[in-house]
Amino acid sequence: MKISAKSKLSEQVVLHLAAEIVSGRLLPGETIPAEIELVNERDVSKAVVREAIQVLGAVGLITVRHGKRALVRESGDWNVLHPLVQDAFRQEGRGRELTEQLYDVRWALECFVAELGANKISSKDLERLLELRDGMDLAHRSQIDVRSFLDLDKEFHFILARASGNLPAFAILKGLSSSALGDWWKRVSAGDLPLLAEQHSRIADALAKRDGRAAAEMMSEHLKAGRAVHIIQTDTP
């Protein structure tokens, strides 16, 4: 679907205001600039500004008030899993800070679902995880393209999260994979594949033995290694 010119202009206004909020130049409880100010400052129409304000409200950055200027909301209300909010963090040089926090959440949840999944995973899901383990091992040994390897990697994590039976954890992890953490897969190179294959193999072996503690420990090692690479590169172009 073709994006309209108005929507593109709205995105620019949205990112500008989101950056003002994320940076702290607009504080919680303060009002955003008046509609006419934004029209003149950004050289856009009232319709564009109104669309931008609705988007900012939808992601929790502001409270939209009929007939009044919108109010900036507390940071705890922001939907930090939304790409717009994350773009604002990166623009303001806070990308690494947010990525570290997202990784803390991912680490806690994935270690949790690994331990839980060891006890709850069905024979069918376990069989598929072992197939994915073997597929990743074969992929890196045959020097298959990185993208194909990572498709197996992603499926491995999604199946394990689902197998835990904890629907909120699964939903949050799906959200994290489409957030800034999703960029991690873009940074993986062929040289990383042997270690990734080995780590997934250890996790799968622990699951096959129904050893929840070992599965959680292996998952922790895996995520710590990925975290180091991802966060170091977060603020690089």
Side-chain angles (χ1 to χ4, degrees), residues 48-82:
V48 166
V49 170
R50 288 168 185 165
E51 181 178 310
I53 288 173
Q54 291 303 314
V55 171
L56 290 167
V59 298
L61 289 174
I62 62 174
T63 297
V64 180
R65 304 186 298 170
H66 182 66
K68 297 181 180 180
R69 287 159 64 178
L71 292 173
V72 176
R73 299 178 67 173
E74 297 285 346
S75 58
D77 296 324
W78 304 346
N79 180 4
V80 294
L81 295 183
H82 196 284

Side-chain angles (χ1 to χ4, degrees), residues 2-237:
K2 189 175 181 179
I3 300 175
S4 68
K6 186 181 85 169
S7 293
K8 289 182 179 179
L9 287 172
S10 175
E11 290 173 4
Q12 294 173 15
V13 177
V14 165
L15 185 56
H16 165 69
L17 289 174
E20 292 293 292
I21 293 169
V22 165
S23 68
R25 290 187 291 272
L26 283 175
L27 296 171
E30 292 184 348
T31 57
I32 67 170
E35 182 180 283
I36 190 62
E37 291 180 53
L38 291 169
V39 166
N40 294 331
E41 177 187 335
R42 309 305 298 179
D43 192 24
V44 295
S45 68
K46 289 183 179 180
V48 166
V49 170
R50 288 168 185 165
E51 181 178 310
I53 288 173
Q54 291 303 314
V55 171
L56 290 167
V59 298
L61 289 174
I62 62 174
T63 297
V64 180
R65 304 186 298 170
H66 182 66
K68 297 181 180 180
R69 287 159 64 178
L71 292 173
V72 176
R73 299 178 67 173
E74 297 285 346
S75 58
D77 296 324
W78 304 346
N79 180 4
V80 294
L81 295 183
H82 196 284
L84 158 66
V85 181
Q86 295 179 8
D87 285 345
F89 267 84
R90 282 190 287 268
Q91 180 169 304
E92 291 303 311
R94 298 184 64 189
R96 178 167 180 162
E97 172 192 346
L98 180 60
T99 301
E100 286 179 333
Q101 294 176 12
L102 291 171
Y103 245 105
D104 288 341
V105 174
R106 184 188 176 192
W107 177 83
L109 283 178
E110 290 227 48
C111 291
F112 166 72
V113 299
E115 183 166 6
L116 199 60
N119 299 314
K120 290 191 171 186
I121 193 168
S122 67
S123 297
K124 181 180 178 181
D125 282 338
L126 179 57
E127 181 180 355
R128 180 54 183 159
L129 283 183
L130 295 176
E131 289 175 354
L132 292 168
R133 174 202 64 187
D134 294 342
M136 282 186 273
D137 184 63
L138 177 62
H140 93 79
R141 291 182 187 280
S142 59
Q143 298 184 329
I144 197 169
D145 65 287
V146 174
R147 178 54 51 195
S148 296
F149 180 99
L150 294 178
D151 287 341
L152 302 175
D153 185 328
K154 291 180 183 180
E155 186 181 352
F156 185 100
H157 286 272
F158 281 144
I159 288 177
L160 180 53
R162 185 187 66 205
S164 73
N166 189 299
L167 294 179
F170 179 52
I172 294 170
L173 286 170
K174 283 183 68 177
L176 286 173
S177 72
S178 61
S179 71
L181 294 188
D183 290 339
W184 179 83
W185 278 281
K186 299 177 184 177
R187 303 174 188 273
V188 174
S189 67
D192 298 316
L193 301 190
L195 176 59
L196 291 176
E198 179 185 353
Q199 290 174 335
H200 285 88
S201 180
R202 290 178 179 175
I203 295 168
D205 288 346
L207 293 169
K209 294 175 183 177
R210 303 288 179 174
D211 188 338
R213 179 175 295 181
E217 289 176 355
M218 295 302 100
M219 181 64 78
S220 179
E221 287 186 14
H222 170 52
L223 295 177
K224 285 178 180 177
R227 184 182 192 273
V229 173
H230 189 176
I231 290 177
I232 287 172
Q233 297 180 359
T234 294
D235 292 323
T236 60

